[in-house]
Each structure stands twice: as C-alpha cells, then as structure tokens.
Amino acid sequence: MRNTKIRELFARFPGSEDFFEVNSLHPRDGNLTVAQYIESLAYAFVTDMGIDHEALLERFDLFMEQLVDLRRGVSFDVRVLTILGGEDKHGAPEVDEIEIRQGEVVCVVGPTGSGKSRLLADIEWMAQGDTPTKRRILINGREPPEEWRFSLDKRLVAQLSQNMNFVMDITVVDFLKLHAASRNRERGDRLAEKVIQRANELSGEPFDPAAPLTALSGGQSRALMVADIAYLSFSPIVLIDEIENAGIDRERALELLIQNQKIVLIVTHDPLLALRSDRRMVIRDGGISGIIETTAEEKACLSELYRMDRVLMNYRERLRNGKTLAAKEDSEG
C-alpha cells in the first residue's frame, strides 16, 4: 500500500486521508506514492514526531491494515479477558487473576472513590503494569499486540461512561451516518434509522432524527450511545459505568448490549443489575478485594426487586407527566 499513488489511495480508501490529517501531513502532489512522499519529508519535521521515516511508513502500513480489516468487517477474536492483579493504593496485592469469558456479564461494585473507574480504564488501555494499579490485561491468555492497544479506532473496547457531552454541530441522523461510514458499515441510512428507533425506546423521551446532537438531554444522549454501541460497534468488550443514572430503561439497555456474545463489565450500585450477573467484582481501596458468585438465594430476590422497581418507575412516569400519585397504585405497580 505504501507504493500506491496518493491520489489512487484516497480514491480507493477515503478513510486513509485520516492518517495524513492526524499526523499533520499535507501531500500536494497526488502522483507521488505514499513512500515517496514520506521519504521527501524534512528530517527535522519527522524527528519532531519522535520517529524516523521508516517508522512513519510502518505506522502508515499498520493504519491501512486496520482500515482494510474494517472494510472487511473483520473483528477482534476475543474469547477470554484476563485481569492479572496488581496492588491497591496501599501497595497490598489484590486478587491474583480473574477470567471473563465471551458472553459473560460481570458487575463491579464498591464505594464511591474506591477505584471502579480505574479498573475500567485499565481494561480500556489494556494495561501492562504501566498504570498506578500495576494490573496486566491479557486477551485470550496473552499480552495483546501493540497494534491492538494503540488502535486508532479503539474498537477493541467500547465504553459508555457517566459523563457524555456532544460537541459536534450536526444532526443526530447525520452523526450516525458519519459513524457508520467511519466504520465502513454498509446501509448506513438503515442502521441510523434503527439506532434512533431503539434509542427512543430506551430513553422514553423521543427525539427527531433531525434534532441537533447538542440539543439531546442526558438520557437521550446515553440512549443514543447504547444503541450506537449495539448496532454500529464491532468492539467485543463493552464497559459500562453506572448505567442506572442514565435516565433510560436500563434492563432493555443491558439486553441490547450483551447481544452478540460480547464481554460486558458494568460498574453499578443498582441491585437489579448487580444480581443479574453471575459474578461481581468488589473494589476497595483501589484494588480488587474479592469476587462474589451470585447465589441462588440472591437470584430469588430478583422478582421482588423487579416488582418494587416497577412501582418506582410508575411513580416516576406519573410525576413526569404532571399527574398525582394514589396510594392504591403502590401495590398495583
């Protein structure tokens, strides 16, 4: 690919222009091959990037490999995610090793400030002992290749965080079409329509496809990103931070996210979500202090918790719609 003329490259792979923009490269002669152009760059310019000409070409080769994989719809083959324990904030060792398999949902629990978000960050970055916790993350029992860790499209891990703010001045439908195109997904129009439909089901506050992205409420934004991850993302690992505060139907959102045999980790204080998983990781003082298997007795509590949740949801909807509450409705849910 490095011996392809730049004009031909851009025509065949429109996404390849991103490589040049990200690296502040502005080729003016489209008849040069990529290799000829990069070799023509001033030595001082390239060394300011902290690399040499050959390293920049290798970076281009890697970028194009990933772009071609995206076009083919190739996804990472992640069957097992392993967390090798590091240490808590006092330097004490945490749980030695945890394996999470494809299709499994594991909840992460712990007091506020205990280090739950740090754990998600370690997984997202595929930490190799190079973060404050000194954890190591393995994929299929091995250290992930460097190109996986530093993948430009970050599609190995999709994360839904507590804080979400859009800054693009664009409509919802155009944003989704752009997202689909960046991932080389075909039928972008239909996918965008599907994402919006499902997001409106989750948020309870329908929005129009032509609505500005920045005008969405917090709940609408979270619902949109849940549906986006579900339908547009190839990422085999999904990290969710406190979805109960998203202002959306969290049960339906979870069902949507765990489809397609993904590995899902959820930071939560919600008993419904915590007991829905088979295991929960306990975080204390910055470290993983234990793993709890959800017992049959705890699972049996779920039906009662669901009933109570329906009562609360009913109250919430009535108040939201300007109605009053009646004592009789408490027991009816």
Side-chain angles (χ1 to χ4, degrees):
M1 207 71 78
R2 59 171 65 182
N3 294 317
T4 303
K5 290 184 178 179
I6 292 172
R7 178 178 291 115
E8 294 172 5
L9 182 76
F10 288 175
R12 289 174 57 196
F13 301 96
S16 63
E17 296 179 44
D18 292 348
F19 172 82
F20 294 85
E21 289 183 11
V22 166
N23 290 288
S24 300
L25 303 175
H26 306 288
R28 296 179 179 177
D29 186 354
N31 289 317
L32 291 178
T33 67
V34 175
Q36 288 171 333
Y37 168 68
I38 289 180
E39 286 164 1
S40 73
L41 294 172
Y43 176 78
F45 176 82
V46 176
T47 52
D48 280 348
M49 300 169 70
I51 55 177
D52 57 24
H53 290 83
E54 183 56 31
L56 184 56
L57 273 171
E58 290 174 358
R59 185 182 292 181
F60 168 77
D61 291 339
L62 176 60
F63 180 92
M64 291 308 301
E65 284 177 16
Q66 294 173 353
L67 191 64
V68 170
D69 281 351
L70 267 176
R71 175 170 285 193
R72 291 172 178 165
V74 175
S75 59
F76 294 100
D77 177 23
V78 178
R79 299 179 299 280
V80 184
L81 170 72
T82 304
I83 303 169
L84 298 181
E87 60 186 32
D88 67 15
K89 65 182 180 183
H90 303 299
E94 58 181 358
V95 171
D96 284 344
E97 182 174 333
I98 302 156
E99 281 193 353
I100 307 172
R101 298 191 171 275
Q102 197 174 44
E104 187 176 2
V105 178
V106 173
C107 284
V108 182
V109 299
T112 300
S114 59
K116 302 186 293 298
S117 296
R118 176 71 260 171
L119 172 64
L120 297 193
D122 282 349
I123 294 171
E124 183 179 17
W125 298 350
M126 297 286 125
Q128 297 301 316
D130 48 4
T131 67
T133 64
K134 297 184 172 54
R135 292 183 183 118
R136 293 179 60 218
I137 306 300
L138 306 183
I139 299 296
N140 302 331
R142 296 184 175 183
E143 181 179 329
E146 189 171 278
E147 60 266 30
W148 286 25
R149 292 189 68 195
F150 302 109
S151 170
L152 291 177
D153 51 31
K154 299 180 181 177
R155 63 194 175 96
L156 182 61
V157 175
Q159 183 164 12
L160 185 65
S161 65
Q162 296 181 62
N163 302 313
M164 186 165 296
N165 295 301
F166 293 115
V167 295
M168 295 179 70
D169 185 16
I170 191 172
T171 66
V172 172
V173 68
D174 286 343
F175 165 75
L176 292 172
K177 288 179 183 176
L178 189 63
H179 224 178
S182 71
R183 293 170 179 172
N184 284 296
R185 300 296 302 270
E186 296 180 352
R187 300 178 179 177
D189 290 354
R190 291 185 59 184
L191 279 172
E193 182 181 340
K194 194 172 184 178
V195 169
I196 292 170
Q197 178 186 352
R198 187 52 63 94
N200 279 330
E201 292 171 3
L202 296 177
S203 73
E205 300 177 74
F207 54 86
D208 192 271
L213 200 58
T214 52
L216 298 185
S217 69
Q220 289 170 329
S221 299
R222 298 284 290 268
L224 181 67
M225 293 318 300
V226 168
D228 181 284
I229 290 172
Y231 290 113
L232 293 181
S233 172
F234 291 116
S235 304
I237 301 170
V238 179
L239 308 178
I240 307 170
D241 197 351
E242 297 193 27
I243 197 172
E244 61 266 32
N245 296 328
I248 62 177
D249 186 330
R250 56 197 187 284
E251 274 294 302
R252 295 177 73 178
L254 186 59
E255 288 293 337
L256 195 59
L257 285 168
I258 62 178
Q259 63 184 1
N260 299 326
Q261 290 294 298
K262 295 190 177 186
I263 291 172
V264 182
L265 283 94
I266 308 174
V267 169
T268 185
H269 299 295
D270 187 330
L272 280 174
L273 294 177
L275 298 183
R276 196 181 183 287
S277 66
D278 291 328
R279 291 189 293 168
R280 51 190 188 270
M281 246 182 279
V282 182
I283 308 295
R284 186 171 291 116
D285 293 332
I288 303 170
S289 64
I291 304 294
I292 297 176
E293 302 278 345
T294 305
T295 66
E297 185 178 2
E298 286 178 325
K299 290 281 189 185
C301 293
L302 272 175
S303 59
E304 177 61 13
L305 289 174
Y306 279 128
R307 190 196 68 77
M308 295 166 65
D309 187 59
R310 285 195 297 272
V311 171
L312 288 173
M313 290 289 287
N314 181 42
Y315 279 179
R316 187 176 296 121
E317 283 304 305
R318 289 185 66 82
L319 292 171
R320 175 184 292 172
N321 292 314
K323 297 180 180 177
T324 59
L325 305 183
K328 185 180 178 182
E329 292 168 350
D330 291 4
S331 58
E332 292 176 347

